[in-house]
Structure formats: structure tokens, C-alpha cells
Amino acid sequence: MLQKVWVSSPGSWALQESNSHHQGKKRCWKCRFVRTIIQHPCRRNAPRRSRKERMLRKIQICLCFCFVSGILYEISLLSSCVFSYLPMAQQYLTPEQVLNLGKSIIFLETTERLEPPPLVSCSVESAARIYQDRPIILFMRGLTNETALDMNTSYAAFSLLSSMKNVFLFPLQMETVFQETPLLQWYNQVVPEQEKNWVHVSSDASRLALIWKYGGIYMDTDVISIRPIPQRSFLAAQKSRFSSNGIFGFPARHKFIWDCMENFVLKYNGNIWGNQGPFLMTRMLKTLCNLTDFQGTEDHSCQNISFLNPQRFYPIPYPAWSRYYQVWDKSPNFNHSYALHLWNFMNRNRKVVVAGSNTLAENLYKTYCPSTYEDLIQNAKHRDLPEPEEVE
């Protein structure tokens, strides 16, 4: 009896027997063709076929081969598509499998917290919406393999972010990340408890190693994406002649990132904030380029690395960071920007998005991370509900 393959659900396959009596003579020509070949094998004692019959037999076999190959090719495309968009609920994918899909957008959470604030959710969600054909990965230091497998957890990071088809949450295992890089020796020697800026330094190192190994784009968790970044190899200017390391992108195994990792170790000083971050990127870029001031909205380029105008990510500079949490008479359109850095390090979580405040940040949430904004509203409603009175 013939069998055919059908897709019962994404990522799963089942076999279903074809009903040989249901369709009768109305079977499709494909089924009749395949059955003809299967049910009439060549007999050893059969009369010798004519040349014309042998040729027809060969043509039938070739057509059957092409037909089966076509089916297998379509199945491979379907399985690839399903794999590319498996949600976090599918716990069988490793970070390497997802990263090797290419073009990942990478976020890092190097604190131990498992309940990131709304700005982190907004950053990840906005990237997931803007880059729907790319994996969005949030590596979390506080996440363990045991936590990742617990699907009954009440953490919002799992319930909100993991519901997005191209978002993945993975544990950040630094020793594994630093393997085969100059950073491994540094990591084995450093004492985190004695480091003044360990959360930032470990993040600076991890982002370099991940981008060097797998390529893609790194973004800080206070960056809201508003349109795709067209460049593949780029650094973001925070201001003229000064590079940020909060957003950058390179192909895998790019020499510039390798050189940055070597300089990270050579010039390491954990007591100076940013020495392994924006100052590192700036001093390495200066070894390649003669940096000049930006004019208008132009971008600079040096040795196939794009140095993007401050308007691309920093239209509101860090001294004016609080403007994101103010009400504007007329909201800016950010036509020259790919994403917006909200300067959470300067804010230190003092100012937050409040539903109904009509601040610039609230309007950005509404537009670019509506699920996070809806969750924000629901949480505010729950907080405002009166406490149930105790019954004596």
C-alpha cells in the first residue's frame, strides 16, 4: 500500500495511509505513475523487451527520480523554514545552532536578574519586529539550563519575549563564549569579585567574542530599533571622532574584532569605565583611519568599515538623555536614524515609562514595542487595584 508524507504541525512529521478505495479511478497521475513502477519490477525470466520498451522504462525511472527529488527538496525547504522560526518554547536548539543560522541580533544581560525591566523587553521586541527574518538572541547571565527548561516559570522574560517566533533566550556561559579567543586567558585570570565594573567589562568582552565567532549585530538592551541597518560592517559614532560599542556589526571572523580582543587583553584596566568599551573601539578605529568631524548626516568609511553618523543611533546625545522622558510639543521623526539609544546607564533606572504620560519614550514604546507597552499597562492596572479586605 502506498504512503504519503504530510505535515501535522511545524517541525513534526507523520505518515498517513492513502485510501486506495476512496478515490477509485480518480487517483492522481502521480500516484498511478509511481505505483506502475513499483508494482511491475523486472522479472528474470520475462521475455526480452524491445529497444523502445527499454528506453521507455529508463525514461520512467528518470521521471520518477526527478519527482521524488522534487518532493524531498520541498520538504527540506519546509523544514528549514520551520527551524528558522522555532520559538523559545522549542527547547532542543543550542545557541550554536541558532547563531549558525547567521545574521543574528545579539543582546546581553550580564547581571543575575531574571526579570529584566520594560526597556530591555522593548529593545528585544523592537528588534524582533524590525528584523523578522533574523534570529534575535538575548543571552542572560542569570539563566541556567535548568531555568530554561522550566516552562512553568512566571518570569515575564519568558512569557513575553519567548512568545515571539524569532526570539531566543539562552544562558550566557562566558567560559564557553571565550573559547578560541584571546579573551579566554584574561577570563581565567580575572577575579570578578575584585572588579569595580565587572557587569560592564564582562559585557564588553562577551559581545566581542560572540560577534567574532558568529557575526551579526550587537545591540545594548536600551536600544530601540526603528528601521533596518543596511550596513554589514559598521561602528556607531557616538559623536565626531568617538565610537560607541553599544551597537556594532561585523561578519564572522573579522580581523578588526580579533584585533579589538587582543587590545582588550593588552590594555586591560577594569578600574576605568569604558576602557574596554567605547574607548577600545575608538583607539582601534584610529589605528586604521584618520577620523574627522561629521558634516550633516553623512557617514564615514575606512577600509570597508562604515563609521555611522551620530544621527543613526544617537540623535539625542548623552548630556540630554532625560529628553526621552519629557513631553515634546512636536515629536521628532528620526528620519535619519536606524535605532535610538536611551542612555540607561545615565538614567540608572530613575526615570521609567509611565502609561498616559505622553513622553517621547512612551510614544516610542507604543510604536515599536506594543506588546511590551500593553504589558506595562496591564501591570499598572494590577498595581492600582485595591487590596482585598481580610475577612475576619
Short mmCIF file of all heavy atoms in Angstrom, two decimals, residues 385-392:
data_model
loop_
_atom_site.label_atom_id
_atom_site.label_comp_id
_atom_site.label_asym_id
_atom_site.label_seq_id
_atom_site.Cartn_x
_atom_site.Cartn_y
_atom_site.Cartn_z
N LEU A 385 -5.15 48.22 41.55
CA LEU A 385 -6.31 47.55 42.12
C LEU A 385 -6.23 47.58 43.65
O LEU A 385 -5.16 47.37 44.23
CB LEU A 385 -6.38 46.09 41.64
CG LEU A 385 -6.77 45.89 40.18
CD1 LEU A 385 -6.67 44.41 39.83
CD2 LEU A 385 -8.18 46.39 39.91
N PRO A 386 -7.35 47.82 44.32
CA PRO A 386 -7.34 47.85 45.79
C PRO A 386 -7.07 46.46 46.36
O PRO A 386 -7.46 45.45 45.79
CB PRO A 386 -8.75 48.34 46.16
CG PRO A 386 -9.60 47.98 44.98
CD PRO A 386 -8.70 48.11 43.77
N GLU A 387 -6.40 46.44 47.47
CA GLU A 387 -6.11 45.18 48.16
C GLU A 387 -7.41 44.58 48.67
O GLU A 387 -8.27 45.30 49.21
CB GLU A 387 -5.16 45.43 49.34
CG GLU A 387 -3.79 45.90 48.91
CD GLU A 387 -2.89 44.74 48.54
OE1 GLU A 387 -3.21 43.59 48.94
OE2 GLU A 387 -1.90 44.97 47.82
N PRO A 388 -7.63 43.26 48.49
CA PRO A 388 -8.86 42.65 49.04
C PRO A 388 -8.85 42.72 50.57
O PRO A 388 -7.82 42.51 51.20
CB PRO A 388 -8.77 41.20 48.54
CG PRO A 388 -7.32 40.98 48.27
CD PRO A 388 -6.76 42.32 47.81
N GLU A 389 -10.00 43.06 51.12
CA GLU A 389 -10.10 43.18 52.57
C GLU A 389 -10.07 41.80 53.22
O GLU A 389 -10.61 40.84 52.70
CB GLU A 389 -11.40 43.90 52.95
CG GLU A 389 -11.45 45.34 52.46
CD GLU A 389 -12.73 46.03 52.92
OE1 GLU A 389 -13.51 45.37 53.63
OE2 GLU A 389 -12.94 47.20 52.55
N GLU A 390 -9.40 41.76 54.33
CA GLU A 390 -9.34 40.48 55.05
C GLU A 390 -10.70 40.18 55.70
O GLU A 390 -11.36 41.07 56.24
CB GLU A 390 -8.27 40.56 56.13
CG GLU A 390 -6.85 40.69 55.56
CD GLU A 390 -5.81 40.61 56.66
OE1 GLU A 390 -6.22 40.42 57.83
OE2 GLU A 390 -4.61 40.77 56.36
N VAL A 391 -11.08 38.94 55.63
CA VAL A 391 -12.34 38.50 56.24
C VAL A 391 -12.05 37.96 57.62
O VAL A 391 -11.23 37.05 57.80
CB VAL A 391 -13.01 37.42 55.37
CG1 VAL A 391 -14.31 36.95 56.02
CG2 VAL A 391 -13.26 37.95 53.97
N GLU A 392 -12.69 38.55 58.62
CA GLU A 392 -12.46 38.11 60.00
C GLU A 392 -13.26 36.86 60.28
O GLU A 392 -14.36 36.68 59.79
CB GLU A 392 -12.87 39.25 60.96
CG GLU A 392 -11.98 40.47 60.80
CD GLU A 392 -12.39 41.55 61.80
OE1 GLU A 392 -13.37 41.33 62.55
OE2 GLU A 392 -11.71 42.60 61.82
#
